[in-house]
Amino acid sequence: MSRLAVRNAWSAFMICVAAACAGIAALLLAIIVLYVLSKGAGALRPTFFTQIPRPVGIPGGGVANAILGSAEIIALASIAAVPIGTAAGVYLALFGRGRVAASVRFLSDVLTGVPSIAIGVFAYALVVLPARQFSAVSASVALGIIMLPIIVRTTEEAVRLVPHTIREGALALGIPAWKATLLVTVPVARPGITTGVLLAIARVAGESAPLLFTAFGNPQWSVGLTHPIAALPLVIFQYAISPYKDWQQTAWGGALVLIALVFALNLAARVALRSRFAR
Amino acid sequence: MKQELRTDRLSAFYGAHCAIRDITMTFRPKSITALIGPSGCGKSTLLRCLNRMHEVIANTTVKGQVMLDGSNVYDSGIDTTSLRRRVGMVFQRPNPFPTMSISDNVLAGVRLAGDVSDRSTLAEIAERSLRRAALWDEVKDILNRPGTSLSGGQQQRLCIARALAIEPEVLLMDEPASSLDPISTMKIEDLMREIKTDFTIIIVTHNMQQAARVSDFTGFMLAGEAAPGELIEFDESSKIFTTPQDKRTEDYITGRFG
Ligand SMILES: Nc1ncnc2c1ncn2[C@@H]1O[C@H](COP(=O)(O)OP(=O)(O)OP(=O)(O)O)[C@@H](O)[C@H]1O
Ligand SMILES: [Mg+2]
């Protein structure tokens, strides 16, 4: 065989290997989704979304309190993490030259790698211990800390991609620097920033470890910030390891809801990114 | 207002690297001054020093003076935003704001830098600026489309309209026609002749014919191997292009180097 033929054969072989790997990855995902769907779809009665859990053996009941609790914790975490994270990202991208910026960048990279359970312990020491109480707010602190570095780095990347000639054009019109940043540069980067925020939310939506000793879980309706609160991942954990059939099914249902949520967030992130050059 | 702009022993640096040295020249109000010279001789740098856009780049410094109506624009009391409203700029490559419509682009300056918010006034300013930039007829029905949806030549005229909308006294143009076809180029040249009754225009160009065609005065700049750019000769364009005093100017405009 000539060299070229050998190369072409090798190339074709490697393409097959790569395609097979991609196929395996996609297949695994499909199996997980289908399995959860088959196990959990039965749990998704209307009461699943409107009622709180009932005692074992009593039919009906749902995880409405956990869905609401998760929404509350995530919303609260976002309210804190999104403004801080995007502001830090814009700062790093536009003015981040000195040593302070380098350390912020390094710290947020380290923070990305810290296991989420360690961040949970941190929030426990920071909020739960002084207050002597598990609380929604402590869970939001933990999730917010996890979201922060993701938002910072994606925002920085998105703003960095905006050509500096755009900003110069604004400055040359006599537009003050802060307005040029907020009203000209950041809007151009907004699709990328939105994507980062949505991915950060998707990331923490499924976190259970940091909630174990912060939100703690709550079988009742509870929305108080300073009280233990139910959360979807916690309910899934508790119910899945319970010996009761109907609780286990509820856990599958919860898992299905979570997967759907993460899927929706990822989809939204893609749509946001695609609208980059549309108005 | 006299709108007199002049530089006095102006030098500009990127870090330790000196890009232009001791440039002293006076730009005649309500006329067109062309800056010519080989690539890298510091034309853009000089232009950007005039409205203090040079300092937007990190680690840059300026020595000497730029006098606008008798006061040094580098005085500590000078506000760069109001200076840049008086000394507008059009860049070499069109840079419309991507998230803004055509009319928002034109009005960006008056909205964000000034404080005009009255709808009918804004509409008037947009139309007047676009007419002046010879773009109105092409875009009057699509004012809400994104500025980036226009062709390159239209985008450049949009950027000119954007700069005109804030009614500067001086307009700096850095090779405004370098990426344009001959027809767009001609439109921009006509436009410059038309608006020079109101503005002082300084244009950087690599196109000798263009400089000769549109400018009243021409400055020739040159940088040595490692030496910073300097102003070699500065005179009425008719003299520069017919009877240059300096051998290097003659060599350059006759195409013997650069
Ligand atoms: N951002 C920068 N950082 C460092 N040096 C720069 C920068 N911009 C320009 N210079 C240097 O300054 C000198 C003058 O550059 P300038 O862009 O003013 O030249 P020019 O005459 O406009 O050239 P051209 O005709 O190619 O646009 C060059 O030696 C260049 O290397
Ligand atoms: Mg240049």
Side-chain angles (χ1 to χ4, degrees):
Chain A
M1 260 201 298
S2 74
R3 279 179 76 111
L4 184 64
V6 172
R7 277 196 195 180
N8 282 339
W10 185 243
S11 166
F13 171 70
M14 289 313 280
I15 287 174
C16 288
V17 171
C21 292
I24 289 172
L27 191 68
L28 280 176
L29 187 65
I31 290 174
I32 292 174
V33 171
L34 287 177
Y35 192 69
V36 175
L37 205 59
S38 71
K39 287 277 199 178
L44 301 185
R45 297 171 302 268
T47 56
F48 185 87
F49 299 98
T50 57
Q51 294 184 351
I52 64 172
R54 297 244 174 107
V56 181
I58 299 178
V63 294
N65 59 337
I67 294 174
L68 184 73
S70 270
E72 178 180 327
I73 297 171
I74 294 170
L76 199 62
S78 307
I79 286 172
V82 170
I84 299 176
T86 48
V90 170
Y91 165 79
L92 285 182
L94 294 179
F95 312 103
R97 300 197 187 96
R99 201 173 306 158
V100 180
S103 1
V104 172
R105 225 170 260 138
F106 178 71
L107 281 179
S108 64
D109 282 351
V110 171
L111 203 52
T112 316
V114 173
S116 59
I117 194 159
I119 292 173
V121 175
F122 175 72
Y124 176 80
L126 191 75
V127 186
V128 177
L129 281 185
R132 298 170 173 277
Q133 198 167 27
F134 295 112
S135 61
V137 84
S138 62
S140 296
V141 168
L143 296 190
I145 294 173
I146 298 172
M147 291 173 74
L148 204 52
I150 304 173
I151 297 176
V152 170
R153 294 316 296 268
T154 47
T155 301
E156 183 187 358
E157 279 313 309
V159 174
R160 237 178 236 292
L161 283 177
V162 180
H164 70 103
T165 52
I166 300 290
R167 181 179 161 75
E168 290 197 342
L171 293 177
L173 286 174
I175 297 174
W178 67 272
K179 273 193 193 171
T181 301
L182 286 186
L183 302 177
V184 177
T185 306
V186 169
V188 179
R190 197 167 52 201
I193 297 175
T194 309
T195 303
V197 169
L198 290 173
L199 291 180
I201 293 176
R203 159 81 202 278
V204 296
E207 282 290 350
S208 48
L211 301 182
L212 290 173
F213 27 73
T214 53
F216 194 69
N218 191 331
Q220 303 294 329
W221 282 110
S222 171
V223 288
L225 294 182
T226 56
H227 295 286
I229 192 169
L232 214 40
L234 290 180
V235 169
I236 295 171
F237 175 67
Q238 275 168 9
Y239 283 23
I241 60 172
S242 77
Y244 315 114
K245 264 266 152 6
D246 50 345
W247 275 23
Q248 287 171 9
Q249 201 194 20
T250 304
W252 284 110
L256 189 56
V257 170
L258 259 188
I259 290 181
L261 176 73
V262 171
F263 181 74
L265 283 169
N266 275 282
L267 212 60
R270 292 208 149 227
V271 171
L273 207 57
R274 186 161 328 147
S275 69
R276 187 175 170 116
F277 293 105
R279 247 175 72 76
Chain B
M1 212 170 279
K2 270 176 60 217
Q3 307 173 351
E4 192 192 68
L5 180 66
R6 89 191 144 79
T7 67
D8 189 13
R9 297 180 63 85
L10 180 72
S11 304
F13 302 81
Y14 294 96
H17 170 71
C18 180
I20 53 174
R21 188 167 66 199
D22 286 344
I23 307 261
T24 299
M25 62 196 300
T26 302
F27 302 96
R28 165 92 66 86
K30 310 209 167 175
S31 55
I32 301 176
T33 303
L35 294 173
I36 60 170
S39 193
C41 70
K43 306 178 296 292
S44 298
T45 305
L46 171 59
L47 212 59
R48 292 170 64 97
C49 285
L50 299 178
N51 65 346
R52 293 187 58 171
M53 283 300 289
H54 183 59
E55 67 200 39
V56 170
I57 300 169
N59 299 321
T60 53
T61 44
V62 168
K63 266 203 268 181
Q65 296 186 323
V66 175
M67 306 295 289
L68 179 62
D69 282 337
S71 58
N72 185 5
V73 306
Y74 282 95
D75 273 349
S76 55
I78 296 285
D79 173 24
T80 52
T81 57
S82 48
L83 167 69
R84 289 174 193 151
R85 256 172 273 167
R86 295 178 64 189
V87 185
M89 184 164 217
V90 175
F91 294 81
Q92 179 167 353
R93 279 205 220 108
N95 55 351
F97 303 137
T99 54
M100 295 189 196
S101 68
I102 293 173
S103 73
D104 286 347
N105 259 285
V106 178
L107 295 171
V110 283
R111 274 217 190 109
L112 305 182
D115 42 16
V116 184
S117 58
D118 174 57
R119 266 171 179 273
S120 60
T121 316
L122 286 172
E124 264 169 44
I125 294 176
E127 175 167 353
R128 187 175 62 227
S129 312
L130 285 167
R131 277 192 193 283
R132 265 191 183 150
L135 190 60
W136 175 251
D137 290 332
E138 287 155 73
V139 302
K140 63 174 185 277
D141 299 322
I142 52 168
L143 289 174
N144 289 322
R145 288 239 207 109
T148 42
S149 67
L150 297 173
S151 77
Q154 290 172 326
Q155 286 185 20
Q156 188 63 303
R157 276 177 284 148
L158 178 63
C159 292
I160 293 175
R162 187 174 73 184
L164 294 178
I166 51 172
E167 302 279 340
E169 297 158 33
V170 181
L171 188 60
L172 311 173
M173 305 176 101
D174 194 348
E175 300 182 48
S178 65
S179 58
L180 304 187
D181 67 287
I183 293 175
S184 303
T185 304
M186 247 174 47
K187 280 187 179 159
I188 288 183
E189 287 178 14
D190 288 343
L191 154 77
M192 290 192 323
R193 280 190 211 95
E194 213 163 286
I195 64 178
K196 80 169 183 181
T197 51
D198 302 323
F199 304 91
T200 303
I201 299 174
I202 305 170
I203 177 178
V204 169
T205 178
H206 278 289
N207 183 330
M208 232 59 66
Q209 287 82 18
Q210 185 175 53
R213 275 198 304 266
V214 298
S215 70
D216 305 298
F217 298 89
T218 297
F220 171 61
M221 295 174 64
L222 190 61
E225 282 284 300
E230 291 183 49
L231 184 64
I232 303 298
E233 194 171 347
F234 179 40
D235 211 331
E236 286 174 22
S237 300
S238 52
K239 288 199 185 136
I240 292 274
F241 288 104
T242 52
T243 52
Q245 302 300 304
D246 197 293
K247 179 83 172 60
R248 291 166 293 181
T249 313
E250 188 181 343
D251 287 349
Y252 183 72
I253 60 176
T254 52
R256 271 198 275 275
F257 75 78

